[in-house]
Amino acid sequence: MKEKVSKKFQEIYGSGAILFASPGRINLIGEHTDYNGGFVFPGAVDKGIVAAIKLNGTDKVRAYALDLGESAEFGLNEADKPAQSWACYIFGVCREIQKRGGKIGGFDTVFAGDVPLGAGMSSSAALESTYAFALNDLYNCGIDKFELAKIGQSTEHNYCGVNCGIMDQFASSLGKKDNAILLNCKTLEYEYIPLELGNYSLVIANCNKPRSLQDSKYNERRAETEEALEKLKTVIPSAACLADISPAQFNEFGKKVLSGKVYDRAKHVIEECARVLSSAEALKKGEIEKFGEYLNQSHYSLRDLYEVTGDYLDALSARSREFDGCIGSRMTGAGFGGCTVSLVEKDKVDEFIKYVDEKYYADMGVRAAFYKTSIENGAQEIKE
C-alpha cells in the first residue's frame, strides 16, 4: 500500500513526501462497556491507513483520497471546513491541534487504507491518528500520544458528528505490537497485556451484512443502561456508573429495583466488565483456553442479554465455535453487523476459514470475508 500511495503522491504533488501510518483496531472483549465507565480490551491490527505528507509552505491543505479517487483543498480556519466527509477528519485534526496551541501550516497529502469499511475496525480512528501523529511530528508540536488520541476523539465529536468514546483512537495511537490494551474508560488508566496466544491465532470474519439498525439500537441501549444506573443508585448510592457495581452487588440488589430488559442490559454490562478483567488475568497466566471461553461467554451475553448480535453474527460465531480447533468466538464492535473475532489453532486456520465460509454461506446466503490478523504498533512514521 505504501508504494501506491507514494507513487500517486509523486504523480500529483512531486517528490519529497514522508510516509506515516496508523492501524485499525479490534476489541478482543468488553462490548458496550465503554459508555458505562467500564473496561475494554482492544489491540491495534495489521490493517490501517498510510499517508504520504509534505509541507507546502502555504496555509492550505491539498488532499487526495486514493481509494475514493477524490481530492479536496481547504484552509485551516474554522470557516474553511470542507464539504467532503472524509476531508473533515483531516481538517478536524488540524483544528484540534491548533486549539491545543500547535502551530501548523499547509501540506499536500495522499492517503489510502486497507481497513474494511463498515466492519467495525475503525478506519476513521486510523485516519485521525495518522494525521495527528504526522502533523505533531512534522511541526514539532510536542503533544504526547495520549493527547493525540483525544485529538482524534474531539475530531469525531466536533467535526464529524459522532459522539464516540476514546477506545478506537486510543488503540490506534497507543497500540503496541503483540499486546492488548486494558483500558479503563472511566479513568483512562491503561495497562499493556502481552497477547501471547501460544498455538492459537486471531481470525477476524466480516459477516458482510449492512449495519442498518446500529444507530437506533445503540441509542436505545444507552438509554436503558442510564435508566438502570439511576434505579441502582437508589440502593447503591456510591455507584457513579454501571461499571462501579460488582457482580456480587448486582446479584444482591439488581432484582430489587430492575426488571425485564433494563435488568438484562445492566447484567450484561456488569458481567462483561468482570470478563474483561478475568481475560487479562488469564492471558497473564498463559491460560489461553480460559480466555477463549470468556470470548464465548461475551457473545452469549451480547446475544441474550444485550440483544445486539442479530442472525448474521450469531450464525457466523456459532459456525466458528463448532469448528474443532476454535476455542472462542464472539462478535466485536457495536453489533447488528460487522465482525467476529475467533481464536483458532494456528495449523488449522485455513481449514477453519474454508469450513466457516461454506457453512455460513449455506446458512445465510452471504459470503463472509476473513482476515488473518496480528497485533501491531500504533501510529508511526514509516521508515524506508
mmCIF file with all atom_site columns, all heavy atoms in Angstrom, residues 9-10 14 38 63 70 87 135 146 162 208 223 236 243 265 318 362 368 377:
data_model
loop_
_atom_site.group_PDB
_atom_site.id
_atom_site.type_symbol
_atom_site.label_atom_id
_atom_site.label_alt_id
_atom_site.label_comp_id
_atom_site.label_asym_id
_atom_site.label_entity_id
_atom_site.label_seq_id
_atom_site.pdbx_PDB_ins_code
_atom_site.Cartn_x
_atom_site.Cartn_y
_atom_site.Cartn_z
_atom_site.occupancy
_atom_site.B_iso_or_equiv
_atom_site.pdbx_formal_charge
_atom_site.auth_seq_id
_atom_site.auth_comp_id
_atom_site.auth_asym_id
_atom_site.auth_atom_id
_atom_site.pdbx_PDB_model_num
ATOM 1   N N   . PHE A 1 9   ? 1.308   10.182  -4.902 1.00 0.00 ? 9   PHE A N   1
ATOM 2   C CA  . PHE A 1 9   ? 1.756   11.490  -4.423 1.00 0.00 ? 9   PHE A CA  1
ATOM 3   C C   . PHE A 1 9   ? 2.716   12.124  -5.424 1.00 0.00 ? 9   PHE A C   1
ATOM 4   O O   . PHE A 1 9   ? 2.603   13.316  -5.734 1.00 0.00 ? 9   PHE A O   1
ATOM 5   C CB  . PHE A 1 9   ? 2.429   11.357  -3.056 1.00 0.00 ? 9   PHE A CB  1
ATOM 6   C CG  . PHE A 1 9   ? 2.773   12.679  -2.428 1.00 0.00 ? 9   PHE A CG  1
ATOM 7   C CD1 . PHE A 1 9   ? 1.916   13.276  -1.536 1.00 0.00 ? 9   PHE A CD1 1
ATOM 8   C CD2 . PHE A 1 9   ? 3.957   13.350  -2.770 1.00 0.00 ? 9   PHE A CD2 1
ATOM 9   C CE1 . PHE A 1 9   ? 2.217   14.516  -0.972 1.00 0.00 ? 9   PHE A CE1 1
ATOM 10  C CE2 . PHE A 1 9   ? 4.269   14.578  -2.215 1.00 0.00 ? 9   PHE A CE2 1
ATOM 11  C CZ  . PHE A 1 9   ? 3.393   15.169  -1.317 1.00 0.00 ? 9   PHE A CZ  1
ATOM 12  N N   . GLN A 1 10  ? 3.643   11.322  -5.921 1.00 0.00 ? 10  GLN A N   1
ATOM 13  C CA  . GLN A 1 10  ? 4.609   11.856  -6.882 1.00 0.00 ? 10  GLN A CA  1
ATOM 14  C C   . GLN A 1 10  ? 3.912   12.344  -8.151 1.00 0.00 ? 10  GLN A C   1
ATOM 15  O O   . GLN A 1 10  ? 4.275   13.380  -8.715 1.00 0.00 ? 10  GLN A O   1
ATOM 16  C CB  . GLN A 1 10  ? 5.648   10.793  -7.225 1.00 0.00 ? 10  GLN A CB  1
ATOM 17  C CG  . GLN A 1 10  ? 7.012   11.176  -6.722 1.00 0.00 ? 10  GLN A CG  1
ATOM 18  C CD  . GLN A 1 10  ? 8.090   10.174  -7.070 1.00 0.00 ? 10  GLN A CD  1
ATOM 19  O OE1 . GLN A 1 10  ? 7.832   8.982   -7.245 1.00 0.00 ? 10  GLN A OE1 1
ATOM 20  N NE2 . GLN A 1 10  ? 9.305   10.665  -7.154 1.00 0.00 ? 10  GLN A NE2 1
ATOM 21  N N   . GLY A 1 14  ? 4.580   15.734  -6.702 1.00 0.00 ? 14  GLY A N   1
ATOM 22  C CA  . GLY A 1 14  ? 6.027   15.698  -6.835 1.00 0.00 ? 14  GLY A CA  1
ATOM 23  C C   . GLY A 1 14  ? 6.683   14.864  -5.743 1.00 0.00 ? 14  GLY A C   1
ATOM 24  O O   . GLY A 1 14  ? 6.050   14.086  -5.046 1.00 0.00 ? 14  GLY A O   1
ATOM 25  N N   . GLY A 1 38  ? -16.787 1.386   31.876 1.00 0.00 ? 38  GLY A N   1
ATOM 26  C CA  . GLY A 1 38  ? -16.176 0.087   32.103 1.00 0.00 ? 38  GLY A CA  1
ATOM 27  C C   . GLY A 1 38  ? -14.849 -0.115  31.410 1.00 0.00 ? 38  GLY A C   1
ATOM 28  O O   . GLY A 1 38  ? -14.201 0.832   30.944 1.00 0.00 ? 38  GLY A O   1
ATOM 29  N N   . ALA A 1 63  ? -5.444  17.593  -0.412 1.00 0.00 ? 63  ALA A N   1
ATOM 30  C CA  . ALA A 1 63  ? -5.517  16.177  -0.036 1.00 0.00 ? 63  ALA A CA  1
ATOM 31  C C   . ALA A 1 63  ? -6.171  15.363  -1.144 1.00 0.00 ? 63  ALA A C   1
ATOM 32  O O   . ALA A 1 63  ? -7.086  15.833  -1.828 1.00 0.00 ? 63  ALA A O   1
ATOM 33  C CB  . ALA A 1 63  ? -6.317  16.018  1.258  1.00 0.00 ? 63  ALA A CB  1
ATOM 34  N N   . GLU A 1 70  ? -10.856 10.955  -4.998 1.00 0.00 ? 70  GLU A N   1
ATOM 35  C CA  . GLU A 1 70  ? -11.378 12.305  -4.785 1.00 0.00 ? 70  GLU A CA  1
ATOM 36  C C   . GLU A 1 70  ? -10.302 13.200  -4.188 1.00 0.00 ? 70  GLU A C   1
ATOM 37  O O   . GLU A 1 70  ? -9.464  12.754  -3.411 1.00 0.00 ? 70  GLU A O   1
ATOM 38  C CB  . GLU A 1 70  ? -12.576 12.285  -3.826 1.00 0.00 ? 70  GLU A CB  1
ATOM 39  C CG  . GLU A 1 70  ? -13.809 11.604  -4.380 1.00 0.00 ? 70  GLU A CG  1
ATOM 40  C CD  . GLU A 1 70  ? -14.964 11.632  -3.393 1.00 0.00 ? 70  GLU A CD  1
ATOM 41  O OE1 . GLU A 1 70  ? -14.838 12.250  -2.309 1.00 0.00 ? 70  GLU A OE1 1
ATOM 42  O OE2 . GLU A 1 70  ? -16.004 11.033  -3.713 1.00 0.00 ? 70  GLU A OE2 1
ATOM 43  N N   . ALA A 1 87  ? -12.634 14.424  4.192  1.00 0.00 ? 87  ALA A N   1
ATOM 44  C CA  . ALA A 1 87  ? -11.718 15.538  4.402  1.00 0.00 ? 87  ALA A CA  1
ATOM 45  C C   . ALA A 1 87  ? -11.948 16.215  5.754  1.00 0.00 ? 87  ALA A C   1
ATOM 46  O O   . ALA A 1 87  ? -11.024 16.819  6.317  1.00 0.00 ? 87  ALA A O   1
ATOM 47  C CB  . ALA A 1 87  ? -11.858 16.558  3.279  1.00 0.00 ? 87  ALA A CB  1
ATOM 48  N N   . LEU A 1 135 ? 1.323   15.338  11.853 1.00 0.00 ? 135 LEU A N   1
ATOM 49  C CA  . LEU A 1 135 ? 1.429   16.793  11.988 1.00 0.00 ? 135 LEU A CA  1
ATOM 50  C C   . LEU A 1 135 ? 2.145   17.177  13.279 1.00 0.00 ? 135 LEU A C   1
ATOM 51  O O   . LEU A 1 135 ? 2.905   18.144  13.312 1.00 0.00 ? 135 LEU A O   1
ATOM 52  C CB  . LEU A 1 135 ? 0.036   17.421  11.920 1.00 0.00 ? 135 LEU A CB  1
ATOM 53  C CG  . LEU A 1 135 ? -0.675  17.249  10.569 1.00 0.00 ? 135 LEU A CG  1
ATOM 54  C CD1 . LEU A 1 135 ? -2.092  17.776  10.634 1.00 0.00 ? 135 LEU A CD1 1
ATOM 55  C CD2 . LEU A 1 135 ? 0.105   17.930  9.447  1.00 0.00 ? 135 LEU A CD2 1
ATOM 56  N N   . PHE A 1 146 ? -1.032  10.160  24.208 1.00 0.00 ? 146 PHE A N   1
ATOM 57  C CA  . PHE A 1 146 ? -2.290  10.138  24.954 1.00 0.00 ? 146 PHE A CA  1
ATOM 58  C C   . PHE A 1 146 ? -3.190  11.288  24.499 1.00 0.00 ? 146 PHE A C   1
ATOM 59  O O   . PHE A 1 146 ? -4.379  11.107  24.233 1.00 0.00 ? 146 PHE A O   1
ATOM 60  C CB  . PHE A 1 146 ? -1.995  10.231  26.450 1.00 0.00 ? 146 PHE A CB  1
ATOM 61  C CG  . PHE A 1 146 ? -3.191  10.059  27.336 1.00 0.00 ? 146 PHE A CG  1
ATOM 62  C CD1 . PHE A 1 146 ? -3.578  8.807   27.749 1.00 0.00 ? 146 PHE A CD1 1
ATOM 63  C CD2 . PHE A 1 146 ? -3.924  11.150  27.751 1.00 0.00 ? 146 PHE A CD2 1
ATOM 64  C CE1 . PHE A 1 146 ? -4.687  8.642   28.568 1.00 0.00 ? 146 PHE A CE1 1
ATOM 65  C CE2 . PHE A 1 146 ? -5.030  10.994  28.570 1.00 0.00 ? 146 PHE A CE2 1
ATOM 66  C CZ  . PHE A 1 146 ? -5.407  9.736   28.982 1.00 0.00 ? 146 PHE A CZ  1
ATOM 67  N N   . VAL A 1 162 ? -20.034 12.523  15.389 1.00 0.00 ? 162 VAL A N   1
ATOM 68  C CA  . VAL A 1 162 ? -20.095 11.198  16.019 1.00 0.00 ? 162 VAL A CA  1
ATOM 69  C C   . VAL A 1 162 ? -19.670 11.322  17.478 1.00 0.00 ? 162 VAL A C   1
ATOM 70  O O   . VAL A 1 162 ? -18.542 11.710  17.770 1.00 0.00 ? 162 VAL A O   1
ATOM 71  C CB  . VAL A 1 162 ? -19.175 10.193  15.294 1.00 0.00 ? 162 VAL A CB  1
ATOM 72  C CG1 . VAL A 1 162 ? -19.242 8.833   15.975 1.00 0.00 ? 162 VAL A CG1 1
ATOM 73  C CG2 . VAL A 1 162 ? -19.565 10.080  13.832 1.00 0.00 ? 162 VAL A CG2 1
ATOM 74  N N   . ASN A 1 208 ? -20.499 -9.253  6.539  1.00 0.00 ? 208 ASN A N   1
ATOM 75  C CA  . ASN A 1 208 ? -20.920 -8.582  5.300  1.00 0.00 ? 208 ASN A CA  1
ATOM 76  C C   . ASN A 1 208 ? -22.414 -8.317  5.249  1.00 0.00 ? 208 ASN A C   1
ATOM 77  O O   . ASN A 1 208 ? -23.045 -8.403  4.197  1.00 0.00 ? 208 ASN A O   1
ATOM 78  C CB  . ASN A 1 208 ? -20.468 -9.379  4.068  1.00 0.00 ? 208 ASN A CB  1
ATOM 79  C CG  . ASN A 1 208 ? -19.002 -9.182  3.783  1.00 0.00 ? 208 ASN A CG  1
ATOM 80  O OD1 . ASN A 1 208 ? -18.446 -8.116  4.032  1.00 0.00 ? 208 ASN A OD1 1
ATOM 81  N ND2 . ASN A 1 208 ? -18.340 -10.226 3.293  1.00 0.00 ? 208 ASN A ND2 1
ATOM 82  N N   . ALA A 1 223 ? -29.901 4.476   26.580 1.00 0.00 ? 223 ALA A N   1
ATOM 83  C CA  . ALA A 1 223 ? -30.999 4.941   27.431 1.00 0.00 ? 223 ALA A CA  1
ATOM 84  C C   . ALA A 1 223 ? -31.363 3.890   28.472 1.00 0.00 ? 223 ALA A C   1
ATOM 85  O O   . ALA A 1 223 ? -31.640 4.218   29.637 1.00 0.00 ? 223 ALA A O   1
ATOM 86  C CB  . ALA A 1 223 ? -32.211 5.284   26.572 1.00 0.00 ? 223 ALA A CB  1
ATOM 87  N N   . ILE A 1 236 ? -27.492 1.469   45.691 1.00 0.00 ? 236 ILE A N   1
ATOM 88  C CA  . ILE A 1 236 ? -26.020 1.503   45.735 1.00 0.00 ? 236 ILE A CA  1
ATOM 89  C C   . ILE A 1 236 ? -25.609 2.939   45.419 1.00 0.00 ? 236 ILE A C   1
ATOM 90  O O   . ILE A 1 236 ? -25.165 3.255   44.303 1.00 0.00 ? 236 ILE A O   1
ATOM 91  C CB  . ILE A 1 236 ? -25.394 0.519   44.721 1.00 0.00 ? 236 ILE A CB  1
ATOM 92  C CG1 . ILE A 1 236 ? -26.024 -0.867  44.820 1.00 0.00 ? 236 ILE A CG1 1
ATOM 93  C CG2 . ILE A 1 236 ? -23.872 0.404   44.933 1.00 0.00 ? 236 ILE A CG2 1
ATOM 94  C CD1 . ILE A 1 236 ? -25.580 -1.836  43.739 1.00 0.00 ? 236 ILE A CD1 1
ATOM 95  N N   . ALA A 1 243 ? -20.253 0.346   35.733 1.00 0.00 ? 243 ALA A N   1
ATOM 96  C CA  . ALA A 1 243 ? -19.013 -0.399  35.957 1.00 0.00 ? 243 ALA A CA  1
ATOM 97  C C   . ALA A 1 243 ? -18.527 -0.324  37.396 1.00 0.00 ? 243 ALA A C   1
ATOM 98  O O   . ALA A 1 243 ? -17.683 -1.121  37.803 1.00 0.00 ? 243 ALA A O   1
ATOM 99  C CB  . ALA A 1 243 ? -17.924 0.109   35.016 1.00 0.00 ? 243 ALA A CB  1
ATOM 100 N N   . ARG A 1 265 ? -29.910 -5.587  30.386 1.00 0.00 ? 265 ARG A N   1
ATOM 101 C CA  . ARG A 1 265 ? -28.853 -4.709  29.871 1.00 0.00 ? 265 ARG A CA  1
ATOM 102 C C   . ARG A 1 265 ? -27.793 -4.453  30.950 1.00 0.00 ? 265 ARG A C   1
ATOM 103 O O   . ARG A 1 265 ? -26.583 -4.502  30.687 1.00 0.00 ? 265 ARG A O   1
ATOM 104 C CB  . ARG A 1 265 ? -29.412 -3.370  29.401 1.00 0.00 ? 265 ARG A CB  1
ATOM 105 C CG  . ARG A 1 265 ? -30.569 -3.431  28.432 1.00 0.00 ? 265 ARG A CG  1
ATOM 106 C CD  . ARG A 1 265 ? -30.396 -4.365  27.258 1.00 0.00 ? 265 ARG A CD  1
ATOM 107 N NE  . ARG A 1 265 ? -31.496 -4.168  26.313 1.00 0.00 ? 265 ARG A NE  1
ATOM 108 C CZ  . ARG A 1 265 ? -32.154 -5.142  25.699 1.00 0.00 ? 265 ARG A CZ  1
ATOM 109 N NH1 . ARG A 1 265 ? -31.812 -6.406  25.909 1.00 0.00 ? 265 ARG A NH1 1
ATOM 110 N NH2 . ARG A 1 265 ? -33.143 -4.872  24.860 1.00 0.00 ? 265 ARG A NH2 1
ATOM 111 N N   . ALA A 1 318 ? -21.481 -18.955 15.712 1.00 0.00 ? 318 ALA A N   1
ATOM 112 C CA  . ALA A 1 318 ? -21.847 -20.339 16.031 1.00 0.00 ? 318 ALA A CA  1
ATOM 113 C C   . ALA A 1 318 ? -21.087 -21.317 15.144 1.00 0.00 ? 318 ALA A C   1
ATOM 114 O O   . ALA A 1 318 ? -20.579 -22.350 15.626 1.00 0.00 ? 318 ALA A O   1
ATOM 115 C CB  . ALA A 1 318 ? -23.347 -20.533 15.877 1.00 0.00 ? 318 ALA A CB  1
ATOM 116 N N   . ALA A 1 362 ? -24.162 -21.332 3.431  1.00 0.00 ? 362 ALA A N   1
ATOM 117 C CA  . ALA A 1 362 ? -25.334 -22.204 3.386  1.00 0.00 ? 362 ALA A CA  1
ATOM 118 C C   . ALA A 1 362 ? -26.428 -21.703 4.323  1.00 0.00 ? 362 ALA A C   1
ATOM 119 O O   . ALA A 1 362 ? -27.627 -21.779 4.006  1.00 0.00 ? 362 ALA A O   1
ATOM 120 C CB  . ALA A 1 362 ? -24.940 -23.631 3.754  1.00 0.00 ? 362 ALA A CB  1
ATOM 121 N N   . ALA A 1 368 ? -18.924 -14.470 3.906  1.00 0.00 ? 368 ALA A N   1
ATOM 122 C CA  . ALA A 1 368 ? -18.141 -13.712 4.875  1.00 0.00 ? 368 ALA A CA  1
ATOM 123 C C   . ALA A 1 368 ? -16.769 -13.404 4.283  1.00 0.00 ? 368 ALA A C   1
ATOM 124 O O   . ALA A 1 368 ? -16.334 -14.057 3.332  1.00 0.00 ? 368 ALA A O   1
ATOM 125 C CB  . ALA A 1 368 ? -17.991 -14.511 6.169  1.00 0.00 ? 368 ALA A CB  1
ATOM 126 N N   . ASN A 1 377 ? 1.963   -2.234  16.228 1.00 0.00 ? 377 ASN A N   1
ATOM 127 C CA  . ASN A 1 377 ? 2.187   -0.938  16.874 1.00 0.00 ? 377 ASN A CA  1
ATOM 128 C C   . ASN A 1 377 ? 1.203   0.105   16.374 1.00 0.00 ? 377 ASN A C   1
ATOM 129 O O   . ASN A 1 377 ? 0.618   -0.014  15.294 1.00 0.00 ? 377 ASN A O   1
ATOM 130 C CB  . ASN A 1 377 ? 3.619   -0.450  16.616 1.00 0.00 ? 377 ASN A CB  1
ATOM 131 C CG  . ASN A 1 377 ? 4.651   -1.256  17.382 1.00 0.00 ? 377 ASN A CG  1
ATOM 132 O OD1 . ASN A 1 377 ? 4.452   -1.588  18.541 1.00 0.00 ? 377 ASN A OD1 1
ATOM 133 N ND2 . ASN A 1 377 ? 5.757   -1.597  16.723 1.00 0.00 ? 377 ASN A ND2 1
#
